[in-house]
Amino acid sequence: MRSALDNLRTQINLIDRSILENMARRFQVVRDMVGVKKTLGMEAYDPGRERELKRLHTAIAKELGVGERFTDALFGLILSESKRLQEEKK
């Protein structure tokens, strides 16, 4: 039974690493967007895009059985960091 627990913990560790790797990739894309937005004369923050992402995240979370409050909190942190990175890159 202990080996089953160890196996599950290893799976969690791998999933957690994958989450962090994906966050690093997402934040690099955010940094890359700064130059494109600048060229297009756009502001870093786009409230319409943020509303669109919220609808998308809510729909995906519902489909996957992930709680809406959790999804809102998670993506609130992600979007906050994305905004910070864009402001930092200006």
Side-chain angles (χ1 to χ4, degrees):
M1 200 55 144
R2 185 73 178 163
S3 66
L5 178 61
D6 290 342
N7 182 41
L8 292 170
R9 286 180 172 162
T10 297
Q11 288 180 52
I12 286 173
N13 292 346
L14 292 171
I15 292 166
D16 289 349
R17 179 174 181 87
S18 176
I19 290 167
L20 291 170
E21 287 171 347
N22 281 310
M23 287 294 83
R25 282 202 314 266
R26 187 189 197 286
F27 294 143
Q28 184 55 55
V29 170
V30 167
R31 287 182 193 96
D32 295 343
M33 286 176 58
V34 173
V36 173
K37 284 183 173 184
K38 200 177 280 188
T39 300
L40 295 172
M42 296 174 65
E43 293 294 322
Y45 177 64
D46 181 351
R49 174 67 176 152
E50 193 166 310
R51 284 189 300 274
E52 177 186 327
L53 284 173
K54 181 173 176 18
R55 284 191 298 272
L56 175 66
H57 297 150
T58 299
I60 293 169
K62 186 175 182 179
E63 174 188 324
L64 297 174
V66 177
E68 187 174 345
R69 282 192 343 204
F70 171 79
T71 301
D72 285 346
L74 175 64
F75 280 99
L77 286 170
I78 292 169
L79 292 174
S80 221
E81 179 65 4
S82 295
K83 285 185 244 181
R84 187 191 70 74
L85 291 170
Q86 289 183 70
E87 290 299 319
E88 177 184 276
K89 239 352 225 180
K90 277 185 170 181

